[in-house]
Structure formats: C-alpha cells, structure tokens
C-alpha cells in the first residue's frame, strides 16, 4: 500500500535542518510505508552509518541489506520488507563506470591515479550526481542491473535543508562539472525524476524559530526549482499535558502557589515548598514555550502543505520508538 | 609532535569538572577559540555569545561566523557579506575597554582574494575566469572549511601585525561531519600536489607523458566521463595554478600549526543527544591525535534541572491520584509534565556521565535551554552568562 496522502510517489526524499531528527523520520517513514507485500528501500548518502545505528545492525556496505520488517497493517497482516542501502560516492562511481562505460581495467587505473578521490571529494558537483544517480537507479531499476529487487517505495535520508536544492542538482548558479560533459546527461535524467510526480521532498522541522524559518526558505527554494514539495513533519513536539484553558490561566497569573500546595497536600506530597516553587516555575516556563510553539505551528500551517506531527520520545529513539513513529505517520496518512 | 597526552584514567565518582568559561575568556594567553561540533547544536550562537561576553569583559574580539540565522546576523549588523570584520553596535564595553567586531564568511570571495594575492594580475584574471575554478570555488564541499581556516589565518596575521584583536572566536561550517574542517585543507592541498594534478599537467610537459602506461587509458576514461571540454578547462586551470600550489600547501600547514599552538582553544559543542555526543567524543579524540588543545565541551539546550525532591514515578502517581479525586486538572497536568521533565533530565545526565567516563580530562559547561530563540545581543548576553555558569535565581 503506498502513501495515503502521496499515492503516486515512489521516491520520498526527507530533508530538514540539522538536529531536527530527519534520519529518524526517514526510518519511521520507511517502516510505515512497508505494509503487507510492500518492498521499501531506505537510503542514506552522508556516510554517517545512521541507519545501522538506529536499527542496531553492523555498518552497512554498498549493497542492499534487509534490515527490518515493516509495521504490520491494521488488518493484522505481516509488514513488508525494508532494505537499507548506504551509498558512498567511491563505490557509486566505480559501479557507474562499469555499468555505463565498460571501463574494466581503466577503472582500476583511475583509482591508482587519484581520479576516484578527485571525482568524489573535490570535483565540484560530481559527488552529488554520483549519490543521486544511485538513488535514481534504485528507484527506476532497468535491465542494466540484473536480479535487483524492484521497490515499491524508496526513502532517501537526504542532506540538510540548506544543501538540498544543490544536492538534487538543480542549482544552476553553482554550475559544477556535472553541468557539462557526458555526466550531464546522467544528471538530467536524475533531475527529471526528481521533478516528476513520482517524487516528493518532505521537510522535517521542530517548533522553533530557526528551523521553521529554514523550512519556509527550503520550500520556497524547492518550488522555485520546480521540485515537488511533499509534507512538513513537525518532530519532537512537547507533551501537552496542560489544556488551552490551563495555559490561559497560568499566563493570566491565576495559578497560585497556595492552590498548588493544597492540591499536593491532598495526595500526600506535603511540606515541600521547593516542589511547589519548582512546579510553579515549570508552569510559567511551559506556558511560555507553548505560546512560542503555537506561534511557530501557525507559521507552519501557513506554508500551505500537508503537515504531520510526531512527539518527542522521552526515552530517546530506539527500534521500538521507530515503529511508534511509523504508526503515527501511517495514522496521519504520510505513510 | 609527540607531546604527552593526558591519560584517560578511571572515572571520578562525582563525574567531570565544570568548564571555567570566564577564566578561558579572561586569560590573555587565549588568542583563538574555535567552536566545533555537528550541525544544529548551536555553534553559531555559542561563538557569538562567547565573543560578546569576552568583549564586555575587556577583550578586543572579532568573531568569524559562517552561516548565522538571519535575525541574529541583522542584530549584529553583519547581514551584508563583505568579508571584512565590522564593529557590532550595542556592546557595553565602556567600562571594560573591550570591543567586538564580527564578520560572516564569503567563501568564494576569500578564495578569490587568495588567488589575487598570490598570482600576478594577469594570471589571477586567467584563473578567476576559468570555469573549473568558478565551480571549484563556489561549490566544492570542502571549500567553505578551507576558506574558514584561510580567513582565520589572515585575521590572525593582521591582528598580530596591527594589534587589532587579541581574541578571535571562530564558528565552523555546518559540515557533513564535524571533522571536515580539519580534513579539508589537507585534502585540498594533497589534491593540489597529488598525482592527479601531475597527470593533468603531463600533456603540457612533454616527456612526462611517458610516466606510465596507464596514462593514456586514464585520459581516455576521463574524456569519456567528463567530456573533452571539462578536461581542457581543468588542464588550463591547473597549468595557471601550478605556481600557487606550493603557497597553498604552506598556508594549510601554517593554519594547522596555528590550531595546534598554545593560544588556541577548541570548544566542542553538542546537544544532549546520543548522536551529537558521539560526534563530540569522536571529535575530542581526533583533536587529541592532532595535538589540538581541547578546552572543553559545551552541552547546549540541556533540560533545566528541577527543584523538588520527588521522583518521576512519585509525580506520576500523585497526578493519577489527583485525577481520581476529580481534582484540579492543572496540578495533575503539571505533575505529569514534571515527571516527563525529570526523565529527560535523567537521560541527559546519563549521556553526559558516559561522555565524562570516557573523557574525564574534558571540562564541561552545561547550558540550560532557553524558552525562546536567541536573536539579539540581550539573548546572546544571557547565553554567555549561562555558559559561564551563572544561573537565574
């Protein structure tokens, strides 16, 4: 079953400001998309081995490895299979050369002359084309790669928002090497997939000023380059144990220490003036943060894209937490 | 190079020791502070807050930022890129005699300036117009890191010559990995005098063509993949740049030595999250290997410690009892929030203790999260005070 809100999309690109948890969201999305009979590939391209850490497996090689079973469906059916791929530019270059140019021995010579290092670390723009090229190949499998698995969905844990347009190869001002020569053809077919209805770029944010601002800027930039904007995933949302009425009361100064102390007394938490003061300070602090969050939530709503919310996981993100996020994304329709 | 390193000893019972930020800032021997860490942990804010605090305590400071948030840049008067430090208005230095300048790095411009200062005017023009150079200077993933270090070297040399600044605070680029800025100069300079460059220069230099039997094959392969035009541009660039290579390598080496010098202090910035702390630990180790002096770890945006001596479980139980009683939901909600908060604090403390266990020699400053965002000098001042261990009463 494909994404409910994005049924046509096959390639889900997940970006976000550093520290907002985009890798976690990408992993949760992959688990959520892998319902019964659905094959999903989760890719990472930044050499961090974040997937291996999240799923608690050995560091991933440049090969598609089965890492998890997707979230079971509501009907109790078994989840589909999630594979993972760690794309590194060196391997992608050598694979590309052997697939398209039949270079054979010359490929090895290239390595010996430092050409591989040059192409993957220094030659402007080439690195990104190699990384996106592999993701393209996995999304649009063709006859050149025999016996490969065909995926129903590919989720890409992409570079951060600030670099996303450049990464997706559409930033014409930064005319890199990839904008000239034969490698350009490769880049062009990749770009046409990215611009098609089969792709959606999702942005992860938290309810703070800078990440929300960066999300707004990112959306504007994606739109300016005709890249399909998917949804905004608001991550790490604080618990909302105080209702709107309570928040108003706190802000209006209607919460008194005496009242707090009386309530605490009733349940046997007696005598701690420090606790009363602590809870009182916390209440004021929480009310202020919630007001700031609401203001940012309003800005996110004004972005005119579907939004999804995920809670802050108190215990940190472990495998169980990823399934929890997957379930929430499925409930809300992103997966 | 084999300066003795502090031994990693057994964990002390009370964890690590606090970082004395004011002593670091006030010490006239501290000439450079480099803030590094993974993306999204608040490096820029930390750098700006440290610089402001140092200035208001009497140092003549310049802060080199990479990519500040727009409103912060505006409030510091550096939203225009001109690659030159500008005085920051609104700093209260009348009493202390200090000052604060700030600048935002323009990497292409810095690269251009290096070329212009190193090559003859005609040659510089030739390089600056070369398509390969334009691509390299504006999009190479390591250029920003390299140029940040280059600019640091320049400012440091100027400051030493003219006595303009006695403290330089440097923010590092939001790289893929926090280590990129240490590696990039080496990578660029090893590329510039590596085998590949000699290969590109070979056709221009006649006999070198015979260097290897594999050469023709490689050139053919490159032409196939990159196209003949790109290869020609690269060759022109490399030929024009040839005489500058030595200079680049020397400069990279000098900056590296500057970072190892005693007047330099590295502050590793992290958020109280497993990934950020893992990256921080890795960074501390790497800096140690490179003989770079780590002054401490800054843990930003920590959940503030709570008053009151009940556990999370007790708070939850009390909240439930209140709800059963049908009593005021506000107090119950607050108790649940308190429990949630305690668990966060507990988890963050555990993460920090683990870091301390592995790196007991690294002092730590914990900066509690502010309710709002920081985008003006008042906010920076507040962060600076928290960095120095002052707590609101």
């Amino acid at each position: 079953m494909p994404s409910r809100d994005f049924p046509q999309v096959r390639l889900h690109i997940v970006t976000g400001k550093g520290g907002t948890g985009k890798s976690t969201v990408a992993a949760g999305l992959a688990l959520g998309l892998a319902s019964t009979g659905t094959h999903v590939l989760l890719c990472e391209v930044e050499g961090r081995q974040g997937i291996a850490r999240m799923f608690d497996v050995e560091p991933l090689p440049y090969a598609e490895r089965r890492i998890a079973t997707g979230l079971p469906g509501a009907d109790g059916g078994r989840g589909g299979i999630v594979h993972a791929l760690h794309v590194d530019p060196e391997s992608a270059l050598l694979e590309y050369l052997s697939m398209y140019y039949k270079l054979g021995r010359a490929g090895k010579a290239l390595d010996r002359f430092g050409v591989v290092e040059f192409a993957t670390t220094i030659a402007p723009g080439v690195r990104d084309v190699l990384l996106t090229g592999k993701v393209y190949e996995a999304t649009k499998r063709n006859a050149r790669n025999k016996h490969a698995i065909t995926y129903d969905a590919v989720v890409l844990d992409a570079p951060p928002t600030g670099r996303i347009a450049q990464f997706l190869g559409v930033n014409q001002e930064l005319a890199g090497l990839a904008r000239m020569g034969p490698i350009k053809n490769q880049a062009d077919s990749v770009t046409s997939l990215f611009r098609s209805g089969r792709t959606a770029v999702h942005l992860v944010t938290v309810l703070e000023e800078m990440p929300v601002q960066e999300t707004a800027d990112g959306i504007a930039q994606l739109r300016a380059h005709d890249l399909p904007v998917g949804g905004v995933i608001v991550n790490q949302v604080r618990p909302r144990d105080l209702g709107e009425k309570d928040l108003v009361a706190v802000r209006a100064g209607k919460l008194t220490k005496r009242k707090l102390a009386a309530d605490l007394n009733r349940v046997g938490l007696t005598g701690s003036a420090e606790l009363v003061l602590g809870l009182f300070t916390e209440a004021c602090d929480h009310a202020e943060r919630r007001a700031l969050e609401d203001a940012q939530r309003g800005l996110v709503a004004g972005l005119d894209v579907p939004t999804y919310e995920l809670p802050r996981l108190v215990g940190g993100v472990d495998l169980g937490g990823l399934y929890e996020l997957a379930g929430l994304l499925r409930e809300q329709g992103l997966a | 190079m084999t300066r003795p390193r502090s031994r990693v000893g057994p964990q002390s019972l009370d964890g690590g020791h606090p970082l004395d930020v004011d002593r670091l800032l006030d010490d006239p021997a501290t000439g450079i502070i480099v803030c590094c860490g993974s993306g999204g942990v608040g490096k820029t804010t930390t750098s700006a807050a440290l610089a402001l605090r140092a200035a208001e305590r009497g140092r003549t400071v310049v802060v080199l930022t990479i990519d500040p948030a727009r409103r912060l840049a505006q409030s510091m008067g550096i939203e225009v890129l001109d690659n030159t430090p500008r005085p920051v208005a609104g700093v209260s230095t009348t009493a202390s005699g200090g000052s604060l300048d700030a600048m935002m790095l323009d990497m292409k411009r810095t690269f251009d300036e290096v070329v212009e200062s190193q090559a003859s005017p005609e040659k510089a023009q030739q390089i600056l117009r070369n398509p390969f150079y334009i691509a390299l200077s504006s999009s190479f993933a390591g250029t920003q890191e390299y140029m940040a270090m280059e600019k640091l070297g320049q400012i440091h040399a100027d400051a030493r010559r003219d006595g303009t600044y006695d403290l330089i605070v440097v923010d590092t680029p939001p790289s893929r990995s926090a280590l990129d800025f240490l590696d990039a100069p080496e990578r660029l300079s090893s590329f510039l005098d590596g085998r590949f460059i000699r290969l590109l220069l070979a056709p221009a230099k006649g006999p070198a063509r015979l260097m290897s039997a594999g050469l023709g094959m490689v050139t053919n392969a490159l032409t196939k993949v990159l196209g003949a035009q790109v290869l020609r541009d690269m060759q022109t660039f490399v030929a024009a740049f040839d005489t500058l290579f030595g200079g680049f390598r020397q400069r990279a080496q000098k900056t590296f030595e500057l970072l190892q010098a005693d007047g330099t202090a590295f502050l590793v910035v992290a958020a109280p999250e497993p990934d950020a702390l893992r990256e921080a630990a890795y960074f501390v180790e790497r800096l140690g290997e490179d003989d770079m002096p780590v002054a401490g770890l800054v843990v930003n945006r920590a959940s503030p410690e709570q008053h009151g001596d009940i556990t999370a479980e007790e708070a939850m139980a009390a909240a439930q009892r209140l709800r059963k009683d049908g009593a005021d939901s506000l107090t119950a909600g607050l108790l649940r929030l308190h429990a949630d908060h305690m668990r966060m604090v507990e988890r963050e403390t555990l993460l920090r203790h683990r870091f301390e266990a592995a790196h007991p020699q690294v002092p730590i400053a914990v900066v509690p999260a502010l309710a709002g965002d920081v985008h003006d000098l008042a906010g920076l001042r507040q962060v600076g005070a928290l960095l120095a261990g002052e707590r609101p009463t």
Side-chain angles (χ1 to χ4, degrees):
Chain A
M1 192 180 77
S3 159
R4 196 173 75 209
D5 291 356
F6 299 92
Q8 306 304 320
V9 170
R10 195 139 159 203
L11 173 60
H12 296 268
I13 299 176
V14 181
T15 182
K17 183 173 159 45
T20 56
K22 71 183 168 60
S23 302
T24 318
V25 172
L29 180 58
L31 290 175
L33 287 170
S35 52
T36 315
T38 311
H39 284 263
V40 176
L41 179 70
L42 173 62
C43 297
E44 70 177 326
V45 292
E46 293 190 284
R48 279 194 228 263
Q49 290 289 353
I51 297 177
R53 271 201 298 271
M54 282 186 284
F55 287 89
D56 200 15
V57 294
E58 296 281 299
L60 297 168
Y62 184 75
E64 291 148 39
R65 285 286 158 88
R66 182 179 170 151
I67 51 157
T69 304
L71 183 73
D75 54 0
R78 276 169 56 90
I81 296 166
V82 179
H83 280 75
L85 171 67
H86 176 260
V87 188
D88 72 275
E90 293 80 15
S91 311
L93 175 63
L94 293 175
E95 186 190 42
Y96 172 77
L97 291 176
S98 74
M99 247 178 170
Y100 287 86
Y101 292 98
K102 308 262 178 290
L103 281 181
R105 273 190 331 124
K108 290 229 167 58
L110 288 176
D111 201 10
R112 204 152 50 78
F113 275 94
V115 175
V116 171
E117 199 207 344
F118 166 76
T120 54
T121 60
I122 289 156
V126 172
R127 185 188 177 92
D128 290 346
V129 173
L130 289 168
L131 297 173
T132 53
K134 179 61 191 173
V135 175
Y136 170 83
E137 191 275 325
T139 312
K140 292 187 89 165
R141 287 262 136 102
N142 63 25
R144 281 183 201 268
N145 194 349
K146 295 186 191 92
H147 314 301
I149 305 167
T150 309
Y151 296 101
D152 301 293
V154 174
V155 178
L156 170 63
D157 178 5
T161 323
R163 259 181 27 81
I164 190 68
Q166 189 188 341
F167 175 76
L168 297 178
V170 293
N171 205 335
Q172 305 284 347
E173 296 133 43
L174 298 179
L177 280 185
R179 287 280 129 202
M180 307 176 260
I183 215 165
K184 179 179 188 303
N185 300 331
Q186 162 85 0
D188 284 349
S189 32
V190 173
T191 307
S192 67
L193 166 69
F194 289 166
R195 288 204 169 124
S196 76
R198 317 221 67 188
T199 300
V201 184
H202 307 296
L203 299 95
V204 182
T205 188
V206 291
L207 291 176
E208 286 166 28
E209 199 175 308
M210 256 170 72
V212 169
Q213 179 63 47
E214 202 165 294
T215 303
D217 293 348
I219 289 175
Q221 203 187 12
L222 290 169
R223 283 184 178 150
H225 290 295
D226 296 325
L227 286 164
V229 176
V232 168
I233 299 108
V234 177
N235 197 19
Q236 297 167 12
V237 175
R238 283 168 196 290
R240 272 172 276 184
D241 289 285
L242 297 194
E244 204 45 55
K245 207 175 66 172
D246 291 338
L247 289 173
V248 172
V250 172
R251 284 180 204 127
K254 297 230 174 83
L255 173 72
T256 62
K257 287 179 196 146
R258 183 186 302 184
K259 172 89 175 63
L260 260 177
D263 279 342
L264 293 178
N265 257 324
R266 286 242 297 269
V267 290
L269 291 173
T270 43
S272 175
E274 208 194 350
L275 177 63
V276 173
L277 180 68
L279 288 180
F280 184 78
T281 319
E282 228 168 309
C284 302
D285 213 49
H286 185 77
E288 187 186 347
R289 279 172 207 265
R290 287 279 296 277
L292 288 165
E293 279 197 356
D294 286 344
Q296 295 304 321
R297 190 176 276 116
L299 291 176
V300 171
L303 294 173
D304 199 22
V305 292
T307 60
Y308 308 88
E309 288 206 6
L310 295 174
R312 188 187 67 191
L313 299 177
V314 176
V317 182
D318 54 8
L319 194 51
L322 291 179
Y323 281 98
E324 195 180 326
L325 298 182
L328 290 166
L329 288 175
R330 202 181 273 174
E331 248 168 51
Q332 298 175 60
L334 181 59
Chain B
M1 285 287 174
T2 51
R3 215 190 305 165
R5 291 198 355 234
S6 43
R7 196 178 69 92
V8 176
Q11 181 189 13
S12 62
L13 286 175
D14 57 346
H17 44 297
L19 168 68
D20 191 341
V21 168
D22 282 343
R23 207 171 87 188
L24 179 72
L25 296 180
D26 293 345
D27 185 351
T30 308
I32 296 174
I33 295 176
V34 185
C35 294
C36 48
S38 47
V41 295
K43 282 190 298 277
T44 304
T45 308
T46 305
S47 326
L50 285 170
L52 177 64
R53 188 167 179 89
E56 295 188 337
R57 293 174 70 86
R59 305 288 306 263
T60 41
V61 188
V62 59
V63 57
L64 169 53
T65 67
I66 308 292
D67 191 17
R70 205 173 306 153
R71 282 176 67 184
L72 180 62
Q74 276 166 3
S75 72
M76 296 181 77
I78 51 168
E79 74 272 33
V80 190
L81 276 168
D82 67 352
N83 226 20
T84 316
R86 299 278 172 216
V88 177
V91 183
S92 20
T93 50
T94 34
S96 63
S99 69
L100 177 61
D101 285 9
M103 71 161 276
M104 188 154 89
L105 180 79
D106 178 341
M107 69 167 174
K108 174 143 178 46
R109 192 142 164 182
T110 307
F111 209 150
D112 291 354
E113 283 166 8
V114 174
V115 169
E116 280 161 355
S117 72
Q118 298 292 302
S120 64
E122 309 87 74
K123 205 162 198 178
Q125 279 318 303
Q126 201 189 341
I127 294 173
L128 297 183
R129 273 200 305 266
N130 182 287
F132 182 80
Y133 169 80
I134 294 171
L136 180 73
S137 60
S138 51
S139 70
F140 163 45
T143 306
Q144 207 175 31
E145 284 81 358
Y146 184 79
M147 290 307 137
M149 291 302 107
E150 177 68 39
K151 196 74 200 174
L152 167 64
Q154 281 175 19
I155 292 180
H156 180 76
D158 292 352
R160 186 158 274 197
R161 195 186 55 232
D162 309 332
T164 35
Y165 307 110
D166 62 22
L167 177 63
I168 306 169
V169 181
V170 197
D171 176 21
T172 54
S175 320
R176 274 182 307 121
S177 142
L179 301 174
D180 274 9
F181 86 93
L182 282 180
D183 291 334
E186 176 59 26
R187 215 161 58 200
L188 190 64
S189 63
S190 80
F191 157 66
L192 292 175
D193 42 59
R195 246 186 324 189
F196 183 64
I197 289 293
R198 292 208 302 278
L199 175 81
L200 285 177
L201 283 169
K205 283 187 175 169
R209 194 175 259 290
L210 302 171
M211 188 162 79
S212 159
L215 187 62
M217 207 157 62
V218 171
T219 319
N220 274 339
L222 275 177
T223 314
K224 263 194 203 165
V225 180
L226 297 174
Q229 182 58 45
V230 174
L231 205 59
R232 262 198 306 279
D233 284 340
M234 276 165 66
Q235 278 166 340
T236 325
F237 165 74
V238 167
F241 220 79
D242 192 19
T243 49
L244 304 187
F245 291 161
F248 263 82
R249 196 162 185 61
Q250 235 174 26
R251 298 163 86 83
Q253 185 56 37
K254 255 172 107 172
T255 311
F256 208 73
E257 280 164 18
L258 183 61
L259 293 178
Q260 289 174 326
D262 283 340
T264 302
F266 279 86
L267 283 180
V268 181
V269 185
E273 292 293 331
D275 285 346
L277 280 169
R278 191 182 308 109
E279 191 97 343
Y282 186 38
F283 206 98
V284 165
E285 283 154 28
R286 170 64 198 277
L287 287 169
E289 278 162 29
D290 283 340
D291 270 329
M292 308 228 172
V294 180
L297 172 76
V298 173
V299 180
N300 265 332
R301 314 164 69 131
S303 305
E305 293 278 351
Q306 289 309 306
H307 304 282
D309 52 357
I310 58 167
T311 64
E313 288 70 29
E314 283 167 338
M316 282 309 279
Q320 254 156 18
R321 259 173 289 157
L322 271 179
R323 206 172 40 195
K324 253 191 225 150
D325 282 10
D328 184 26
S329 66
L330 204 162
T331 308
L334 273 178
L335 282 165
R336 280 199 304 276
L337 277 178
H338 186 72
D340 177 77
H341 202 115
M342 301 270 292
R343 290 198 190 107
M344 288 289 288
V345 171
E346 210 171 288
R347 177 165 159 263
E348 291 173 10
T349 310
L350 179 69
L351 286 169
R352 217 166 55 228
H353 282 327
R354 287 190 178 156
F355 180 93
E356 284 165 354
H359 305 279
Q361 77 282 19
V362 179
I364 299 181
V366 178
V367 182
L370 296 174
D373 284 309
V374 173
H375 36 61
D376 54 17
L377 291 188
L380 288 178
R381 221 166 262 138
Q382 200 183 349
V383 174
L386 292 171
L387 270 163
E390 291 170 17
R391 293 291 180 264
T393 42

